[in-house]
Amino acid sequence: MTEKKESSLFEKKLIAPAIRDAFKKLDPRSLVKNPVMFITAIGATLTTLEFAFATRSRFNLQIAVWLWFTVLFANFSEAIAEGRGKAQAESLRKTKTTAKARLLKGKTETVVNATDLRKGDLVVCESGDLIPGDGEVAEGIATVDESAITGESAPVVREAGGDRSAVTGGTRVLSDRIVVRITTETGDGFIDRMIRLVEGAKRQKTPNEIALNILLAGLTLIFLLAVGSLKLFADYSGMAAGQDLSGVVTMPVLISLLVCLIPTTIGGLLSAIGISGMDRLIRKNVVAMSGRAVEAAGDIDVLLLDKTGTITLGNRMAADFFPAPGVAGKALAERSQLASLADETPEGRSIVVLAKEKYSLRADHYDAKHTDFVPFTAQTRMSGIDLEENGRTTRIRKGAADAVAKFVAELGGRMPAETKAEVDRIGRLGGTPLVVCEEASILGVIYLKDVVKGGIRERFAELRQMGIRTVMITGDNPLTAAAIAAEAGVDDFIAEATPEDKLRKIRSEQERGHLVAMTGDGTNDAPALAQADVGVAMNSGTQAAREAGNMVDLDSSPTKLIEIVETGKQLLMTRGSLTTFSIANDVAKYFAIIPALFATLYATGGGVGPLSRLNVMGLATPESAILSAVIFNAIVIVFLIPLALRGVKYRPLGAAAILRRNILVYGLGGLVAPFIGIKLIDLALQAGGFV
Amino acid sequence: MNRFDWIQVLVTLFVLIACAPLLGRFFHRVFTAKGGLVGRFVDESEMDWKRYAWSVIVFNGIGLVVVYLFQILQQSLPLNPAGLPAVTWHSAINTAVSFVTNTNWQGYAGETTMSSLTQMAALTVQNFVSAATGMAVAVALMRGMTRKSTADLGNFWSDLVRGTLYILLPFSVVFSLVLAGEGVVQTFSSNVEVVTLEGAKQTIPLGPAASQIAIKQLGTNGGGFFNTNSAFPLENPTPLSNWLEMLAILLLPAGFALSFGEFAGSRRQGWALFAAMLVFLVGALGVSLWSEFGGHPAFPGVAWMEGKETRFGVVNSVIWSVFTTAASNGSVNAMHSSLTPLAGGVSMFLIMLGEIVFGGLGSGLYGMILFAILTVFIAGLMVGRSPEYLGKKIEAREIQMAILAVLLPSAVVLIGTAASVVLPAGLSSLSAAGPHGFSEILYALTSAANNNGSAFAGLNANTPYYNLLLAFAMLVGRFGVIFPVLAIAGNLAGKKIAPASSGTFATDSPLFVLLLVGVILIVGGLTFFPALVLGPIVEHLLILGGRTF
């Protein structure tokens, strides 16, 4: 279903509104939030005024136009990123309509507007009703269609008590009746928060974004000084050379130099990167409660993963039969299969399947009339079958070793030492031994094994390469846990874990400077979710868990955590790469503009001056050089919008390898690209006769 | 360059690189020791960054007043054999700031302005303690970077005393004796008058020079006893004294750079910063030597001997010029105005980078760490984690302070130069025209704002305008960096240390060194590209075309 939501980067219907928004964002009140673009806009204004009232040259007009384009392109990148979020918010908002709620007071129901509900109110929802607000099922059980937020059409069960009690406002009850206790105030519900996030309207800058903004503002200030002082340096040089440079070192030219030097590329794309990072997460059906959490996800170096469902398939499967001395393997398999025929648990079914696969046993020749199934009970801790053959009843049982040993002991049998050894061995391997007996004789052992998911070991190896440690959390005993940990390739495990253990583990890892992420769904996970740096609550979980975490996974998939970490890393990488690119660009721009400014300085006899030697690109004329640099500076923003929205390509590699690659592409590329780009634009300007 | 020139360059670099690790370990021990002799006299209780900074202000404030008073009152104080009058108020302010900030810019001629008492009790004392202040601040920063969840940065007074007592004093005493052995004067007797061979009378200035020369070189001070600094035979008599004085410029800062690795618990971290410094040093040496030996178009193949110290030759003057501007030393054995435009530009560029190529004692290291923080921030993001340095998260506060510390000295250089090239008060002190005149002013501001103290010569800076402007530049260049550095130290100390993993941005790899060099060039260097173009670069190109100024 994530496929469905995936849209091309530039949907046609998004472009027109984004262009409109790009102009709207020229409002100084919104520009001032971005110091780099604010300076650029001031420069554009001054150049326009210069053209309008002072020097009406074609060159000045072109500079002014391209400076405005620079600002507009930056605005456009932000608008398109927001537009993609808005499109999603629109579909969410539809679910919010003007729902009515059936407020329950005592025994009486009154119909009120959903917006009038308060925290703690009880409302009734029956099949067909929209749930009016976020809350918890106080009474009853119902199937709910949550496709509005998850995109998943299969209904889910929500019931009072337990770990599936949370309901979300805007979802629809399909069957049955539930009473919901509202847990959030109007306007602060899950969908409201999601809308706010995807729209980026109240987007708070993240800590790293704030720091980067300070850096960019600082660099802008430095270059402002460099260019401002250059005017006076030029005056002195002109005076010293006995030349008049005032016609060359003009205000539009200095503004061009300034705009080229200040980090417009990253300054223009910064907020688009942030918004689209959030957006990418939402496309993976994860709602982050803040941008801060997305950023923290990139820093995670310890993952706490529940064993069941994440690392293993969730159920134990029969893996092998170990017959007792004197018993044929096939006989054991056949008896085991019989004992499991009525066992509808996944374990039971897996025994039937294993017997069929290994010995081609079908168990279809038994007459159900003469059999009596014995279900598992907590008292006997065994299950099995009673067969009536020739008037005699044969009891076949399978169960925990001690329970079966007791059973045969009462009938005068005993467990052979070999079987006992086998039981211990399986325990050590991390499996669960099931002993099978027929009356007083032990037939052997079934080896039940936790099946580790395919590919998970490789995934953990990747994570390790990225510097992320995985810790498996399981309720199993330490022996079993160790065996599964070894098989799955996790770095550490906590056996017989209680929710308090999780909390303690998170605290101790954080104490040592690690950043920890975990997933959880139960109410007892809430403290750990709140303590973790990234706490991902399952959407299917309780309201308490969803409140405690800083992300909610709408798919309730335990492996989602890994994708979340990748998205966070990708966001930071994109930011760093484009910053490096932007700063590296400056070298070429200096070499375009400085020689252009001072080409005639100390020139003798009307020729070119010594500084034209610095014109390493061989740009045609000073005007053309300056204009080319300004144009390159503007259109590079447009070229990089797709990258900002999509993020730089992420690969699960170690830091050193990623760095080498990104430096090569964005650092070295950032040095070289503008030399080529400016030269090409210069050639085009010449060819087109623009200068 | 002949074979011996090459050997000298290589041997000098080799000795420097060989001594640095030993010194680094020694410095680390000095500053991590507790109690002992110092502990008996100094309260060594821990300070947070604000108290540490406040102690720096108090100590340096007192220093300023004391040095000022010595100069103003020297005519009525003892040990004034030449009967020198009081120093002018503006020169006294300039000199007080200059010596307290470890700049040692000298707008005056030492032997004809300062009494022996002023030289010894005011100036030489500051030579020690200003260097010790720099070390203390660097040590506080290193503590902040390596301690965990605390506000404590150590004790300024303890650091000051330990740095002076265990590092600067012993090294200076030994070095003074060696220099005196080579013939540097060390006496309280007044000037002597001799009759030269031509029968003319000449006054030969004397004084307690050797002791000041030792610390001026070791403590990256650079303020000479005599006006012509180490070009003067009584300050620098023999080739051996010249080589030792040259080496002494970089010796302690190089060792200090490596003490970073000792504090960080990983020597590679220290070597990474050291390597970045070395890249600039070797690069600067290369360009300068190439330019000096390249010859003038009119005399191809002849080294530029004009203005060089004839006793030592071009190579020694060039190595010295590079070393003294790489470190914030500022002593000279040839006037930088006489370097080729490009070599002069290299000297200027080294200072413009912020005195981080080994730099001032302590200040070079913390300046380099500031750039390392910026590098970590810009490039560190590229590995997909929020940036960390030595396991400490680099966040808004650190960036704010690091940018401030880079911005302030640059702003003073640019604004000060811009004002001076248009104001009559600025232009009237010039001795040369054209781009060379521009370089004179640019160099003065650059030297002051980055606490180097060397002069291009030519510019008459002993005027109220320049004395006050440069005093302001020196103050901003020193404390405009120290306070942000201490703020960073305080902020980092309070953070946890994230353990390194394969997902961490490595700050001890050759790639990091490369990035660091790149960031220094682009962020620290490109700011001055236009200014350098209009000064040394255009002059170089003009000379190639046959014009001089």
Side-chain angles (χ1 to χ4, degrees):
Chain A
M1 67 122 273
T2 38
E3 301 296 305
K4 267 186 290 170
K5 277 195 186 175
E6 206 63 67
S7 52
S8 72
L9 280 177
F10 295 102
E11 272 179 272
K12 277 206 186 88
K13 61 177 197 286
L14 291 182
I15 296 219
I19 291 176
R20 215 168 35 241
D21 283 349
F23 281 95
K24 271 191 208 152
K25 283 172 188 285
L26 287 177
D27 183 342
R29 281 166 299 180
S30 92
L31 274 179
V32 77
K33 286 179 205 148
N34 183 340
V36 181
M37 279 305 141
F38 189 62
I39 294 281
T40 310
I42 291 177
T45 311
L46 290 176
T47 313
T48 311
L49 292 176
E50 169 86 11
F51 170 75
F53 299 110
T55 323
R56 197 172 271 277
S57 69
R58 208 153 69 107
F59 172 71
N60 281 356
L61 175 66
Q62 291 188 75
I63 293 284
V65 167
W66 281 104
L67 291 180
W68 282 118
F69 271 138
T70 311
V71 182
L72 286 171
F73 290 159
N75 287 350
F76 176 76
S77 77
E78 190 180 89
I80 195 117
E82 285 175 355
R84 297 198 326 147
K86 273 196 189 121
Q88 240 167 336
E90 215 46 56
S91 67
L92 286 172
R93 198 169 274 130
K94 285 195 189 112
T95 65
K96 265 185 72 76
T97 52
T98 47
K100 296 283 179 199
R102 293 157 62 187
L103 182 66
L104 192 65
K105 283 224 168 99
K107 289 278 169 212
T108 53
E109 263 181 41
T110 43
V111 175
V112 298
N113 281 327
T115 46
D116 295 337
L117 290 175
R118 289 275 154 276
K119 214 166 166 172
D121 285 348
L122 289 175
V123 291
V124 179
C125 301
E126 273 178 306
S127 44
D129 286 348
L130 267 184
I131 297 174
D134 287 6
E136 227 163 353
V137 181
E139 193 186 311
I141 176 166
T143 52
V144 179
D145 171 16
E146 295 195 337
S147 59
I149 51 169
T150 63
E152 189 69 65
S153 51
V156 293
V157 175
R158 292 285 177 247
E159 62 183 327
D163 286 351
R164 294 182 300 174
S165 62
V167 288
T168 306
T171 57
R172 191 177 293 277
V173 175
L174 290 180
S175 69
D176 304 291
R177 172 183 186 275
I178 46 173
V179 176
V180 174
R181 180 179 295 110
I182 299 296
T183 51
T184 50
E185 294 291 344
T186 310
D188 198 30
F190 193 66
I191 289 197
D192 299 290
R193 272 190 275 177
M194 226 164 129
I195 290 174
R196 279 206 296 271
L197 280 168
V198 290
E199 281 191 333
K202 279 200 182 160
R203 209 172 67 89
Q204 297 266 310
K205 283 198 176 115
T206 59
N208 177 262
E209 224 176 340
I210 292 171
L212 191 51
N213 255 315
I214 292 174
L215 178 78
L216 298 183
L219 289 177
T220 305
L221 205 56
I222 290 179
F223 287 122
L224 200 58
L225 284 167
V227 174
S229 60
L230 181 61
K231 168 77 182 125
L232 299 176
F233 296 169
D235 286 350
Y236 168 88
S237 298
M239 181 192 78
Q243 290 172 317
D244 181 20
L245 292 177
S246 63
V248 187
V249 189
T250 62
M251 189 189 61
V253 169
L254 288 172
I255 288 173
S256 303
L257 176 62
L258 174 66
V259 170
C260 284
L261 293 180
I262 62 178
T264 45
T265 313
I266 180 66
L269 295 172
L270 190 55
S271 64
I273 295 171
I275 296 170
S276 61
M278 193 79 98
D279 193 49
R280 272 200 299 282
L281 210 51
I282 286 172
R283 272 156 212 275
K284 289 187 170 144
N285 267 350
V286 175
V287 180
M289 295 305 161
S290 67
R292 189 185 279 263
V294 187
E295 217 164 68
D299 292 347
I300 292 302
D301 54 3
V302 176
L303 287 186
L304 252 51
L305 298 169
D306 276 321
K307 182 198 80 176
T308 309
T310 312
I311 296 168
T312 63
L313 285 174
N315 300 308
R316 280 173 246 259
M317 309 283 253
D320 211 347
F321 296 110
F322 294 101
V327 181
K330 188 167 177 179
L332 169 64
E334 189 225 17
R335 293 291 155 183
S336 304
Q337 191 181 44
L338 276 177
S340 309
L341 274 181
D343 187 351
E344 278 303 312
T345 63
E347 287 92 343
R349 280 203 298 267
S350 77
I351 295 171
V352 175
V353 169
L354 184 70
K356 193 160 70 186
E357 281 174 356
K358 242 184 141 172
Y359 297 101
S360 313
L361 295 167
R362 300 217 144 261
D364 44 11
H365 55 279
Y366 288 97
D367 186 351
K369 260 188 270 177
H370 300 293
T371 55
D372 194 8
F373 293 110
V374 182
F376 177 87
T377 66
Q379 277 78 40
T380 60
R381 288 162 57 229
M382 291 186 298
S383 63
I385 192 168
D386 290 348
L387 285 180
E388 273 175 52
E389 285 171 314
N390 315 324
R392 265 186 58 220
T393 306
T394 316
R395 283 172 291 181
I396 305 172
R397 294 287 181 273
K398 68 176 203 301
D402 53 340
V404 175
K406 206 171 133 211
F407 178 79
V408 294
E410 279 167 10
L411 296 172
R414 54 171 209 91
M415 181 153 341
E418 289 84 348
T419 305
K420 225 178 245 162
E422 202 59 55
V423 165
D424 289 345
R425 198 179 64 86
I426 292 171
R428 270 198 308 281
L429 285 174
T432 309
L434 276 188
V435 179
V436 184
C437 68
E438 181 173 342
E439 292 299 323
S441 60
I442 300 281
L443 296 176
V445 191
I446 307 171
Y447 176 16
L448 287 183
K449 192 178 159 189
D450 248 329
V451 179
V452 171
K453 280 186 176 176
I456 200 87
R457 198 186 167 86
E458 290 70 32
R459 200 84 190 253
F460 289 149
E462 279 176 14
L463 286 172
R464 198 167 306 117
Q465 241 185 348
M466 289 155 57
I468 297 171
R469 231 153 31 85
T470 42
V471 180
M472 181 181 84
I473 311 281
T474 171
D476 294 343
N477 66 56
L479 226 58
T480 311
I484 295 169
E487 192 182 342
V490 295
D491 300 280
D492 197 1
F493 64 88
I494 309 176
E496 290 167 352
T498 61
E500 293 73 41
D501 286 337
K502 284 194 201 179
L503 188 60
R504 209 171 306 124
K505 178 72 178 171
I506 293 174
R507 287 211 172 118
S508 79
E509 292 287 354
Q510 285 173 335
E511 195 49 45
R512 272 179 282 155
H514 293 288
L515 271 86
V516 187
M518 69 165 284
T519 45
D521 53 3
T523 299
N524 53 15
D525 282 333
L529 279 172
Q531 178 72 35
D533 299 284
V534 172
V536 183
M538 304 277 192
N539 191 45
S540 61
T542 61
Q543 187 63 23
R546 285 172 20 171
E547 292 286 324
N550 47 15
M551 289 193 195
V552 176
D553 175 20
L554 302 175
D555 295 341
S556 304
S557 149
T559 45
K560 193 58 81 58
L561 205 47
I562 299 171
E563 290 174 46
I564 292 173
V565 169
E566 290 175 354
T567 308
K569 282 195 176 296
Q570 199 187 22
L571 170 72
L572 294 171
M573 250 184 244
T574 308
R575 220 178 261 162
S577 299
L578 290 181
T579 307
T580 307
F581 184 85
S582 187
I583 294 175
N585 270 204
D586 277 3
V587 177
K589 292 171 189 165
Y590 263 125
F591 277 97
I593 296 185
I594 293 289
L597 270 177
F598 300 113
T600 57
L601 186 65
Y602 296 105
T604 41
V608 290
L611 285 174
S612 51
R613 278 242 217 150
L614 295 180
N615 182 6
V616 289
M617 284 175 269
L619 303 176
T621 63
E623 285 80 23
S624 164
I626 293 164
L627 199 54
S628 302
V630 172
I631 294 176
F632 176 84
N633 194 51
I635 61 174
V636 78
I637 297 181
V638 179
F639 273 107
L640 291 173
I641 288 177
L643 185 67
L645 296 186
R646 209 185 311 116
V648 303
K649 200 159 168 50
Y650 173 81
R651 286 183 177 81
L653 297 170
I658 293 178
L659 186 66
R660 258 198 308 277
R661 196 181 163 278
N662 285 340
I663 295 275
L664 209 63
V665 177
Y666 300 100
L668 203 61
L671 276 179
V672 176
F675 278 104
I676 300 169
I678 291 173
K679 177 70 187 171
L680 287 179
I681 294 170
D682 177 67
L683 290 175
L685 287 179
Q686 294 306 311
F690 287 99
V691 281
Chain B
M1 277 175 81
N2 61 34
R3 204 182 324 150
F4 298 103
D5 292 336
W6 280 109
I7 290 174
Q8 202 199 335
V9 171
L10 294 177
V11 166
T12 310
L13 288 176
F14 174 79
V15 172
L16 187 70
I17 296 168
C19 291
L22 303 173
L23 290 170
R25 268 165 250 178
F26 170 64
F27 296 162
H28 176 249
R29 279 182 52 187
V30 167
F31 287 107
T32 45
K34 281 246 168 256
L37 184 65
V38 175
R40 221 176 300 158
F41 297 102
V42 183
D43 169 26
E44 293 192 294
S45 57
E46 293 283 336
M47 295 174 165
D48 62 13
W49 82 265
K50 284 181 183 151
R51 270 191 68 201
Y52 206 101
W54 180 240
S55 308
V56 173
I57 296 177
V58 169
F59 179 72
N60 284 291
I62 294 172
L64 275 176
V65 174
V66 168
V67 178
Y68 179 77
L69 289 179
F70 264 109
Q71 296 176 77
I72 293 296
L73 304 173
Q74 68 176 4
Q75 82 279 21
S76 32
L77 293 172
L79 279 178
N80 187 358
L84 294 168
V87 180
T88 59
W89 66 271
H90 50 86
S91 174
I93 288 178
N94 183 287
T95 305
V97 171
S98 171
F99 277 76
V100 167
T101 56
N102 195 250
T103 312
N104 305 48
W105 168 269
Q106 290 166 297
Y108 59 90
E111 62 273 36
T112 56
T113 317
M114 303 293 174
S115 73
S116 293
L117 183 75
T118 311
Q119 295 253 30
M120 282 193 313
L123 304 186
T124 305
V125 167
Q126 283 302 326
N127 275 351
F128 280 94
V129 294
S130 68
T133 302
M135 287 197 283
V137 172
V139 167
L141 176 60
M142 288 191 279
R143 289 197 189 110
M145 294 178 78
T146 51
R147 288 182 178 181
K148 189 177 142 188
S149 310
T150 176
D152 300 340
L153 293 181
N155 183 294
F156 172 71
W157 307 107
S158 160
D159 292 338
L160 184 74
V161 173
R162 283 177 194 277
T164 312
L165 197 63
Y166 295 132
I167 297 174
L168 297 173
L169 268 177
F171 275 91
S172 303
V173 167
V174 172
F175 194 38
S176 314
L177 292 175
V178 173
L179 286 178
E182 284 298 299
V184 179
V185 292
Q186 178 76 7
T187 171
F188 281 130
S189 41
S190 103
N191 303 346
V192 290
E193 291 216 338
V194 292
V195 180
T196 62
L197 286 176
E198 296 103 33
K201 271 192 176 174
Q202 189 184 353
T203 307
I204 296 183
L206 296 175
S211 56
Q212 193 184 325
I213 310 308
I215 185 62
K216 98 164 187 207
Q217 296 303 89
L218 288 167
T220 60
N221 291 291
F225 193 89
F226 304 105
N227 186 32
T228 46
N229 213 303
S230 288
F232 192 62
L234 295 186
E235 198 162 319
N236 185 10
T238 66
L240 182 63
S241 77
N242 185 64
W243 188 76
L244 288 173
E245 286 182 21
M246 213 155 63
L247 191 64
I249 294 174
L250 284 184
L251 194 62
L252 299 192
F256 221 80
L258 287 183
S259 74
F260 180 67
E262 304 294 323
F263 274 93
S266 153
R267 291 199 175 135
R268 285 177 61 96
Q269 297 286 351
W271 281 111
L273 298 188
F274 189 93
M277 294 172 172
L278 202 61
V279 167
F280 280 102
L281 187 76
V282 171
L285 260 179
V287 174
S288 292
L289 288 171
W290 172 75
S291 166
E292 292 285 342
F293 282 89
H296 190 277
F299 312 98
V302 180
W304 291 58
M305 198 55 207
E306 185 276 321
K308 305 298 181 317
E309 176 55 49
T310 45
R311 293 178 299 134
F312 305 126
V314 173
V315 167
N316 276 299
S317 295
V318 172
I319 297 180
W320 192 300
S321 78
V322 170
F323 278 19
T324 196
T325 48
S328 82
N329 188 292
S331 66
V332 290
N333 75 350
M335 293 307 135
H336 290 181
S337 181
S338 296
L339 296 171
T340 56
L342 220 50
V346 165
S347 301
M348 224 185 298
F349 184 67
L350 282 171
I351 307 175
M352 282 167 176
L353 295 179
E355 289 303 3
I356 51 167
V357 182
F358 299 105
L361 194 45
S363 63
L365 177 60
Y366 61 65
M368 185 51 111
I369 291 176
L370 290 176
F371 273 106
I373 286 177
L374 290 179
T375 307
V376 163
F377 185 77
I378 294 169
L381 275 174
M382 278 196 284
V383 305
R385 272 172 79 110
S386 49
E388 296 157 345
Y389 193 27
L390 299 186
K392 299 275 193 181
K393 281 231 177 311
I394 303 301
E395 290 165 306
R397 179 83 167 153
E398 288 78 22
I399 292 303
Q400 190 183 21
M401 289 298 149
I403 273 286
L404 192 67
V406 171
L407 181 70
L408 281 175
S410 306
V412 172
V413 172
L414 290 172
I415 296 174
T417 308
S420 301
V421 294
V422 291
L423 292 175
L427 291 170
S428 62
S429 291
L430 281 182
S431 70
H436 202 81
F438 181 76
S439 294
E440 286 179 1
I441 294 178
L442 181 63
Y443 195 105
L445 264 302
T446 304
S447 174
N450 291 291
N451 300 133
N452 180 281
S454 66
F456 212 47
L459 185 74
N460 170 27
N462 198 359
T463 64
Y465 174 79
Y466 276 110
N467 272 332
L468 296 179
L469 176 68
L470 296 179
F472 175 75
M474 289 185 277
L475 277 179
V476 174
R478 179 74 164 178
F479 298 104
V481 180
I482 281 184
F483 296 139
V485 162
L486 286 175
I488 290 175
N491 212 44
L492 287 180
K495 295 187 181 188
K496 289 183 200 158
I497 296 175
S501 71
S502 61
T504 315
F505 176 65
T507 52
D508 57 359
S509 65
L511 190 58
F512 176 74
V513 175
L514 191 77
L515 285 169
L516 182 55
V517 168
V519 167
I520 293 170
L521 277 177
I522 292 181
V523 176
L526 275 192
T527 319
F528 297 102
F529 183 69
L532 287 171
V533 162
L534 292 177
I537 293 179
V538 72
E539 193 189 347
H540 168 77
L541 293 170
L542 282 169
I543 286 184
L544 290 183
R547 283 171 74 183
T548 51
F549 295 88

